[in-house]
Amino acid sequence: MVDMKVNLCGITMENPVMAASGTFGYGYEFAELYDINILGSFSFKGTTLEPRFGNPTPRIAECEAGLINSIGLQNPGVDAVINKELPTLGKVFNKPVMANVGGSSVEDYGKVAGMMDGCENIGWIEVNVSCPNVHDGGMAFGTDPAVVQEVTETVKASTGKPVIIKLSPNVTDITAIARACERGGADGVSLVNTMLGMRIDLKTGKPIIANKMGGFSGSAIFPVALRMVYQVYEAVDMPIVGIGGISTAEQVIEMMMAGATAVQIGAANLVNPYVCRDIINDLPDVMAKYGISSLSEITGGAH
Ligand code: SIN
């Protein structure tokens, strides 16, 4: 018998596998395909104070080993999430869920986190300071250590739930940003969000994405994400959620050895909606193959 349990910021998860924000809706859509209670948890679509229509289309460009998205944080706003999406999710998911929070100002982040503080089924607040697709907020907040610290402090003051800051890979030194989160009182960090990229349509000679650029994710970014998790593990003393190009149980273990306590699966959900379930089913055999009896013991083992 192998033990897949991990503890993320004081909350025990049956396994470390979560679906990443923006690739799993509000969860109940996937519950039509399989019992999502098999998941460690998932992070729901980035939620802002007001509803957002999102960016003009086309918003997606396919690539050889991933895709570029420029959704623009489309979401129904925090009121609708609290009053409609979360109760619907509660009918099919009986574990704490991670709430991904976006904002156009530092105050917005605090307000949304504060409104979610009373939601029983929310376990963690994941603060998105890394969306590359919005002009006001998003990645602009996540590339300046002083601003990251201010957002972290504001959210921490607004909620008693564990606060996890989601970091952008589009920085020179991700460890400087992670240290700013730690100074601000973060309980953990999740990394990485998407890498800024673009494609050009040869027929039109113009960028495929209406917004010209977008966030690149998928299997191609796995080694970059792994490297950043490895670096951040050495820089700070708080749990890390490893994200970026994961699609197999072997990669979950690799990411944990680099320093992750838990992982999120993103773009792979868009290729195979059953991928999280498949990874969780595969994990015991892969653990046995590599002589791992307890997943919680391998975090940071590569250091
Ligand atoms: C988006 O909605 O544009 C993607 C979210 C993100 O990259 O954080």
Side-chain angles (χ1 to χ4, degrees):
M1 256 306 258
V2 292
D3 181 3
M4 297 205 287
K5 281 196 211 65
V6 296
N7 187 296
L8 181 61
C9 304
I11 300 174
T12 299
M13 293 161 54
E14 273 172 46
N15 64 69
V17 179
M18 312 174 85
S21 175
T23 66
F24 211 71
Y26 292 95
Y28 57 82
E29 303 91 332
F30 282 74
E32 291 176 18
L33 303 178
Y34 65 92
D35 181 5
I36 62 170
N37 289 293
I38 189 176
L39 299 172
S41 185
F42 73 95
S43 181
F44 61 72
K45 177 65 188 161
T47 299
T48 52
L49 195 55
E50 303 296 338
R52 287 180 63 99
F53 185 72
N55 288 340
T57 56
R59 297 169 167 184
I60 298 284
E62 290 192 32
C63 307
E64 270 72 35
L67 82 161
I68 296 172
N69 90 79
S70 178
I71 308 302
L73 290 180
Q74 178 178 346
N75 79 96
V78 65
D79 279 328
V81 168
I82 290 174
N83 296 317
K84 180 173 169 290
E85 306 297 348
L86 287 178
T88 307
L89 173 65
K91 292 184 188 143
V92 293
F93 191 58
N94 56 28
K95 295 178 171 177
V97 67
M98 187 174 280
N100 186 287
V101 169
S104 306
S105 66
V106 176
E107 294 71 36
D108 276 10
Y109 283 99
K111 280 186 194 158
V112 176
M115 289 168 77
M116 288 175 166
D117 195 48
C119 299
E120 255 181 40
N121 48 350
I122 292 180
W124 313 260
I125 303 284
E126 182 178 55
V127 181
N128 186 355
V129 288
S130 45
C131 174
N133 304 324
V134 288
H135 298 297
D136 45 350
M139 195 172 83
F141 285 128
T143 49
D144 179 335
V147 182
V148 171
Q149 184 174 338
E150 192 188 349
V151 173
T152 307
E153 285 166 352
T154 303
V155 174
K156 275 299 285 180
S158 312
T159 177
K161 296 186 189 289
V163 172
I164 293 176
I165 313 294
K166 186 167 182 179
L167 306 186
S168 173
N170 304 303
V171 290
T172 310
D173 179 6
I174 197 162
T175 64
I177 307 292
R179 283 195 200 94
C181 297
E182 197 166 50
R183 282 195 300 277
D187 299 284
V189 282
S190 59
L191 59 138
V192 293
N193 203 326
T194 53
M195 306 182 72
L196 196 59
M198 74 181 294
R199 297 295 309 265
I200 290 171
D201 182 337
L202 296 188
K203 287 197 218 90
T204 63
K206 301 282 182 225
I208 292 175
I209 299 269
N211 218 19
K212 296 195 177 94
M213 295 170 204
F216 178 54
S217 61
S219 58
I221 76 164
F222 177 73
V224 180
L226 187 87
R227 181 265 295 178
M228 290 189 164
V229 167
Y230 187 92
Q231 288 177 312
V232 168
Y233 182 84
E234 299 209 334
V236 296
D237 187 17
M238 59 183 162
I240 299 169
V241 181
I243 318 167
I246 300 171
S247 64
T248 66
E250 284 84 352
Q251 288 171 326
V252 171
I253 289 173
E254 200 176 337
M255 194 59 102
M256 293 182 77
M257 287 175 166
T261 294
V263 301
Q264 289 181 3
I265 315 299
N269 289 304
L270 310 177
V271 179
N272 170 14
Y274 299 96
V275 69
C276 291
R277 183 198 66 180
D278 295 349
I279 289 173
I280 292 162
N281 287 338
D282 289 347
L283 264 171
D285 282 349
V286 177
M287 287 170 67
K289 179 176 171 189
Y290 293 102
I292 299 165
S293 55
S294 168
L295 272 188
S296 66
E297 285 166 16
I298 66 168
T299 294
H303 292 260

